[in-house]
Amino acid sequence: MATAITIDPRLGADASSFVSGKHAMLIDGNLVAAKSGKTFPVYNPADGTEICQVPEADAADVDIAVRAARHAFDGGAWPALTPSQRGRLLWKVADLLEQHTEEFAQLEALDNGKPVSVAGVADVPLAVDLFRYMAGWATKTLGSTIPISAGNDFLSYTVREPVGVVAQIIPWNFPLLMAAWKLGPALATGCTVVMKLAEQTPLSGLRLAQLFVEAGFPPGVVNILAGFGEPCGAPLAAHDLVDKVAFTGSTEVGKLIARAATGNLKKVTLELGGKSPAIIFPDADMDTAIAGAASAIFFNQGQCCCAGSRLFAHESVFDQVVEGVSHIGSKIKIGPGLDPTTELGPLVSEEQFDRVTSFIKSGHEQGAKVGTGGKRHSDRGYFVQPTLLHNVRPGMKVVDEEIFGPVVVAQSFKTDADLQRLAAQANDTVYGLAASVWTRDISVAHKMARMIKAGTVWVNCHNVFDAALPFGGYKQSGWGREMGAEVLNNYTEVKAVTVKL
Ligand code: ADP
């Protein structure tokens, strides 16, 4: 039963009116309730209270949405549009989103817990930029002409065609941005989409659905569902009328998605977990490196798949780095995401709070020392202090496993002469999503960049994203890449045409 909800007074008029309105999913061009009529509560992680109820999709809604996407792809209006018209529609979504930047930043702060000041300059503008960048690609999915050895009286060329109906399942850490990363390239290449939002954070995605309607997308091209993993995500990933599934989330669920996709051998791309190293050499600009290492882990409450969660510092600067990062961590202003002065918000949910605090507990039990933090903040909401643990080694859970919270483990390394050994330490993880290297020595920087097995290596920076840069993982961090020109390969099939002249 829905309880009486008090809307947070810090919400602006637009966000407030959306939150207190009736929530609907986008299926076949219509904003609708779930077939079953069921809804589920969305919680404010800053205090654990219910914000509102949203529709709860299950296999029946998935089936209707997939059939709508199939129809829009096979015979509907989408293929009839020119690439330029598709690009213009994507650009229109970007414009509408930009016009509502503050509203979306507030929805992210309320629902996910992240600081509204961060969402307003990172999540929303990056999503706007992604849609604009991908709008440009709509007219540029090019093939090539290929000389073949059968003879000069042959003409061979390739065309890139959209892969078809795409299922997209996204997580809660960047709800709007993850939706943009996935929808942008799929629509630019001419695919149709059924997206499932994360159950913890459906609000910005449901609001985005309204913008797709407003922009004038034909029915069935974009379908956006709210629902849970097993009852909604699983039937979507397994549906026989889906040609491809794109997933971002945990490595554990990524493996389930890969298995679910085998029924009709749909194409699969996965963007999964990480345990990314941030490596500080003694010649680095220490102020920049220490501030960068702190931001690498504490940004977004540490809930980034590419968070710099393993900090390596040369033994000659180790104490300075531990003290510096701990000092920054201890000064970060913790509070509700909607407070404009907040720098670190709550974790997204009670489940994540329990998970992160149990990791910290296991760190204590296995002998880690606390540089800063290590405790919950406030007895209301899901706040965890920015935490640095040292005296740690491989084999400890906090070192080996992804924590997905504001918790960094710091280890020292002995010599920068043996870069190979250091790279092996950095690569000593099942993941391979990202890394950062902090040094003034360009030779060391590039050697490390070459030896680190990860999809992204940052030098003297961390968490720098751009719609034009591919992002994704080696090893168990995933399959395929998001963004950049690379992502277009995931959403297209290549056809080779050979003509005997
Ligand atoms: P987290 O543990 O960080 O919440 P998950 O990998 O569990 O990450 O969730 C990421 C997304 O995957 C969410 O949208 C979630 O609902 C969905 N999901 C969870 N389990 C399944 C499943 N068995 N099949 C399909 N999707 C799932």
Side-chain angles (χ1 to χ4, degrees), residues 169-172 196-200 227-230 232-235 237 247-251 253-254 256-257 351-352 404:
I169 299 174
I170 61 169
W172 46 259
K196 188 195 87 64
L197 307 168
E199 58 270 33
Q200 298 85 349
F228 292 85
E230 285 270 326
C232 182
F247 170 80
T248 298
S250 60
T251 294
V253 174
L256 295 177
I257 299 284
E351 189 186 348
Q352 283 306 114
F404 224 63

Side-chain angles (χ1 to χ4, degrees), residues 36-386:
S36 66
K38 272 169 70 179
T39 61
F40 67 95
V42 182
Y43 295 105
N44 178 353
D47 57 16
T49 58
E50 184 180 318
I51 302 168
C52 59
Q53 294 269 332
V54 298
E56 182 184 337
D58 61 21
D61 306 282
V62 165
D63 191 56
I64 298 169
V66 169
R67 285 176 195 281
R70 190 77 260 168
H71 180 71
F73 185 80
D74 290 341
W78 196 230
L81 293 190
T82 64
S84 159
Q85 287 170 320
R86 282 205 310 272
R88 274 210 297 271
L89 280 172
L90 275 171
W91 197 278
K92 176 90 176 144
V93 165
D95 285 347
L96 290 170
L97 189 54
E98 193 169 46
Q99 285 160 23
H100 294 280
T101 298
E102 189 54 30
E103 179 188 355
F104 274 90
Q106 291 184 3
L107 292 178
E108 294 296 65
L110 178 68
D111 197 2
N112 167 281
K114 64 179 65 201
V116 67
S117 56
V118 175
V121 297
D123 300 60
V124 186
L126 284 171
V128 170
D129 216 44
L130 190 291
F131 281 125
R132 292 214 174 107
Y133 175 83
M134 289 299 165
W137 275 118
T139 47
K140 297 167 198 71
T141 45
L142 308 178
S144 32
T145 52
I146 302 171
I148 63 168
S149 303
N152 288 337
D153 50 351
F154 286 90
L155 169 66
S156 289
Y157 61 93
T158 57
V159 280
R160 284 199 170 270
E161 296 177 348
V163 79
V165 174
V166 181
Q168 302 187 320
I169 299 174
I170 61 169
W172 46 259
N173 58 342
F174 293 90
L176 173 70
L177 189 58
M178 291 301 103
W181 279 21
K182 295 247 180 300
L183 289 165
L187 297 170
T189 49
C191 297
T192 59
V193 178
V194 180
M195 169 172 282
K196 188 195 87 64
L197 307 168
E199 58 270 33
Q200 298 85 349
T201 54
L203 295 185
S204 58
L206 295 179
R207 179 70 181 104
L208 182 66
Q210 297 178 344
L211 299 190
F212 273 96
V213 175
E214 195 178 336
F217 274 76
V221 173
V222 181
N223 303 272
I224 299 185
L225 309 178
F228 292 85
E230 285 270 326
C232 182
L236 179 57
H239 203 294
D240 273 346
L241 297 179
V242 169
D243 299 300
K244 171 191 162 57
V245 57
F247 170 80
T248 298
S250 60
T251 294
E252 187 192 351
V253 174
K255 290 177 184 175
L256 295 177
I257 299 284
R259 256 176 245 139
T262 55
N264 63 343
L265 281 184
K266 52 177 75 68
K267 315 283 182 259
V268 180
T269 44
L270 304 169
E271 204 259 275
L272 308 174
K275 191 77 179 175
S276 300
I279 306 165
I280 302 184
F281 287 86
D283 70 321
D285 173 334
M286 275 303 147
D287 289 344
T288 308
I290 288 169
S295 157
I297 183 64
F298 301 139
F299 174 66
N300 211 44
Q301 297 67 246
Q303 301 168 137
C304 298
C305 39
C306 55
S309 51
R310 284 182 303 144
L311 175 58
F312 293 93
H314 187 265
E315 59 180 356
S316 65
V317 294
F318 183 73
D319 291 348
Q320 186 188 353
V321 168
V322 164
E323 274 162 35
V325 173
S326 298
H327 179 73
I328 292 172
S330 69
K331 295 283 176 221
I332 288 177
K333 185 163 183 297
I334 307 174
L338 278 176
D339 181 337
T341 64
T342 288
E343 293 168 343
L344 187 115
L347 300 184
V348 71
S349 64
E350 188 170 12
E351 189 186 348
Q352 283 306 114
F353 175 84
D354 290 344
R355 181 186 152 85
V356 171
T357 48
S358 80
F359 265 109
I360 296 174
K361 188 161 163 271
S362 99
H364 290 314
E365 286 164 4
Q366 294 187 299
K369 292 195 173 130
V370 177
T372 189
K375 299 203 176 71
R376 80 177 297 170
H377 167 92
S378 167
D379 51 7
R380 261 187 115 203
Y382 311 128
F383 298 93
V384 173
Q385 294 175 334

Side-chain angles (χ1 to χ4, degrees), residues 1-62:
M1 247 204 23
T3 45
I5 311 296
T6 317
I7 299 295
D8 194 304
R10 286 168 294 201
L11 283 179
D14 288 348
S16 180
S17 117
F18 175 73
V19 168
S20 54
K22 201 164 159 41
H23 297 290
M25 306 185 290
L26 175 58
I27 300 182
D28 204 9
N30 300 310
L31 294 167
V32 297
K35 266 276 159 222
S36 66
K38 272 169 70 179
T39 61
F40 67 95
V42 182
Y43 295 105
N44 178 353
D47 57 16
T49 58
E50 184 180 318
I51 302 168
C52 59
Q53 294 269 332
V54 298
E56 182 184 337
D58 61 21
D61 306 282
V62 165

